[in-house]
Amino acid sequence: MFRPASDAVNRRNGTTRRADGYHARMTSPNGTLYVGNGPWCTLGDGPPGSRRGADMNDPGTREGWAVLSRNGVIAAAGAPDVLRTAHPDAHVVDLGDRLVTPGLVDPHTHPVFHGTREDEFEMRNLGRTYVDIALSGGGIRKSVRLLRAADDAVLARNVAENADAFLRLGTTTIEAKSGYGLSLEDELRSLRAIRDVAAWHPLTFVPTFLGAHEFPDEWRDRRDAWVDHLIDDMLPRVAAEKLAVACDVFCEAHVFTIAQSRRLLLAAKKLGLATKVHADEITPCGGAELAAEVGAASADHLVHVSDAGMDAMAAAGTVPILLPATSWYLRLAKDAPGDVMKRKGLPIALATDFNPGSSPTRSLPLVMSMACVRYGFTAAEALTAVTVNAACAIGLGDRVGRLVPGYACDLVAWDLPNLRSLPYRFGENHVATVVKSGRVVVERGR
Ligand code: NIG
Ligand code: FE
């Protein structure tokens, strides 16, 4: 497990906190040359920005490639012999004939919680539903009770353990939501746990405020007042402390209405936060249309999205983030219409939705397999959805998700011979080496 370095080391490494998220920067004076003979999916062809339609199917593969990392950023990319000659003093790391991809980007996770809910998994498998369990006091409300009883050190340790697991599975950047505190103090504690771990852990975090995840037990009879409290008291504190770059809401029949969600998202926008919506997951309720209306960065889940909702998102530039592990795990009768979105030319991203209730997995390769099987994606489309498009969905499209100069030197070497084998060989971890900000952080899968 990664542990916090001493303050002196942190200062020496120049750990930085940026307005658009948290990023632990590593330096390496002579530069490091990562070279390989295998297929490198650089996602490097074409312009930056999210990809749609046929462009999602172009992984920019090179047979044998190299990148030079300086100060954690790719300074040059090209054929291995060309770069070796041009940079004779660089430290060389040979990745052999493995498949190499950019470090994966998970644009929707809930990594700050305490305790687990395996009892609910079993209840659902025996016939109860997610909503029924939530309405009887379980679900998110159970996780809220558990988080409130955990102290700050425990929360930080949990976030760090999750961050380690993401890296071991090839993910180098995550969007990270609060949402299991649901009181001013406990939401601030959750976001500070992300901030504090991000200050020293190699994983990059992009924090999102999700105070509108549920109605906490003590506010259930005063729902509009809880939304007022989120708008008047919590959002301003979160923004003033710069603890989040986005605000999300669980817009769904049993939780936040369209009107409540709209009110919250417009207030968040006024404070300069990006907006996101958990939309149309369990019932069709117009979440995608709302996301488009407020100019949200993303609308997520979208199992029951309408045709008009998809068109509105396309027009507004709202990225659909699909979470196939969640619909599978909740035994939903329907899948999100990933195939339709593909035909409509939406810039689809994929995420784990990692959380203790509806998707306790940190594996993006598993999610890629599910997208191939359930939405009819190719391996290249699935990879684009967890690199370029995922990065664009969280505002980092100009710095992560592609192996080109100017981007972070975040890459994964997989014990696999080609890209197609990544979603094909599902349910196992094929990560050999992970490089984060130019530094090897996982070797031989550990
Ligand atoms: O994205 N949909 C709302 N939030 C989570 C579930 C959280 C939980 O059940 O703990 C999700 O699926
Ligand atoms: Fe979620």
Side-chain angles (χ1 to χ4, degrees):
M1 180 177 169
F2 279 95
R3 294 187 190 288
S6 70
D7 285 343
V9 171
N10 271 341
R11 272 199 301 279
R12 201 178 63 231
N13 284 348
T15 300
T16 55
R17 188 185 147 195
R18 301 192 313 211
D20 54 359
Y22 299 113
H23 188 90
R25 179 158 50 94
M26 298 296 165
T27 57
S28 154
N30 291 324
T32 304
L33 197 52
Y34 292 96
V35 302
N37 308 318
W40 283 51
C41 298
T42 65
L43 282 300
D45 298 331
S50 58
R51 298 187 179 182
R52 322 151 183 263
D55 290 341
M56 279 188 71
N57 216 359
D58 175 13
T61 306
R62 314 276 187 269
E63 291 302 329
W65 201 241
V67 294
L68 176 75
S69 170
R70 278 220 182 97
N71 298 324
V73 174
I74 297 176
D81 47 345
V82 174
L83 259 65
R84 277 181 195 266
T85 310
H87 304 282
D89 297 334
H91 171 63
V92 177
V93 176
D94 191 347
L95 300 170
D97 54 6
R98 297 183 177 87
L99 166 72
V100 175
T101 68
L104 306 183
V105 178
D106 194 334
H108 182 139
T109 83
H110 306 247
V112 200
F113 59 85
H114 186 62
T116 52
R117 295 181 359 224
E118 53 273 73
D119 52 336
E120 296 179 3
F121 174 60
E122 196 160 278
M123 284 181 216
R124 285 196 301 274
N125 295 337
L126 295 174
R128 290 187 64 185
T129 67
Y130 180 77
V131 172
D132 157 40
I133 293 167
L135 291 175
S136 56
I140 295 168
R141 290 154 70 195
K142 175 175 174 187
S143 292
V144 168
R145 291 191 288 274
L146 292 169
L147 182 142
R148 288 179 179 178
D151 67 25
D152 294 355
V154 168
L155 291 189
R157 190 197 63 205
N158 294 351
V159 172
E161 280 176 7
N162 289 329
D164 284 357
F166 276 111
L167 281 183
R168 282 196 302 269
L169 288 157
T171 296
T172 49
T173 298
I174 65 167
E175 181 262 9
K177 303 174 197 294
S178 66
Y180 293 110
L182 304 194
S183 70
L184 175 59
E185 213 32 61
D186 292 304
E187 283 296 300
L188 293 175
R189 288 199 314 121
S190 301
L191 291 167
R192 288 179 192 137
I194 296 171
R195 176 197 63 193
D196 293 347
V197 173
W200 58 265
H201 199 282
L203 190 73
T204 296
F205 292 78
V206 177
T208 294
F209 172 60
L210 181 52
H213 201 189
E214 241 297 8
F215 295 92
D217 293 351
E218 62 278 17
W219 288 83
R220 291 191 79 72
D221 304 332
R222 297 170 291 155
R223 296 192 168 214
D224 283 322
W226 169 247
V227 178
D228 292 339
H229 181 44
L230 287 169
I231 292 173
D232 298 338
D233 307 315
M234 295 173 72
L235 265 177
R237 270 299 286 283
V238 168
E241 278 197 45
K242 296 197 186 328
L243 285 168
V245 299
C247 174
D248 194 350
V249 56
F250 189 5
C251 178
E252 186 59 55
H254 74 288
V255 267
F256 294 85
T257 65
I258 291 284
Q260 290 165 338
S261 304
R262 178 185 289 113
R263 215 147 61 77
L264 177 77
L265 296 172
L266 293 178
K269 268 182 92 166
K270 274 200 185 138
L271 292 168
L273 297 175
T275 52
K276 310 175 83 67
V277 186
H278 279 69
D280 304 313
E281 176 185 0
I282 301 162
T283 56
C285 55
E289 287 87 337
L290 174 68
E293 175 196 319
V294 303
S298 73
D300 308 37
H301 286 291
L302 300 169
V303 174
H304 295 275
V305 67
S306 68
D307 225 50
M310 286 188 266
D311 294 340
M313 286 175 60
T318 297
V319 176
I321 300 183
L322 304 185
L323 312 165
T326 307
S327 4
W328 174 76
Y329 199 72
L330 292 185
R331 313 175 91 206
L332 301 185
K334 213 172 152 317
D335 287 309
D339 49 348
V340 179
M341 291 182 188
K342 199 168 102 167
R343 284 199 299 277
K344 282 182 180 281
L346 284 140
I348 306 163
L350 293 167
T352 59
D353 193 20
F354 171 61
N355 74 73
S358 65
S359 184
T361 182
R362 292 160 295 212
S363 174
L364 276 175
L366 175 65
V367 167
M368 292 168 72
S369 299
M370 290 179 163
C372 291
V373 172
R374 305 307 295 183
Y375 309 148
F377 280 17
T378 63
E381 288 167 340
L383 182 67
T384 301
V386 296
T387 53
V388 175
N389 285 4
C392 289
I394 57 174
L396 297 183
D398 59 349
R399 63 200 80 175
V400 300
R402 304 171 77 213
L403 298 178
V404 294
Y407 278 60
C409 186
D410 297 353
L411 60 85
V412 184
W414 306 85
D415 271 325
L416 293 169
N418 53 49
L419 175 58
R420 282 196 174 120
S421 52
L422 179 52
Y424 164 69
R425 297 274 306 272
F426 85 108
E428 293 175 25
N429 187 3
H430 302 287
V431 167
T433 304
V434 178
V435 174
K436 175 64 196 174
S437 301
R439 192 171 69 113
V440 175
V441 292
V442 175
E443 230 173 345
R444 282 184 290 277
R446 303 187 60 82

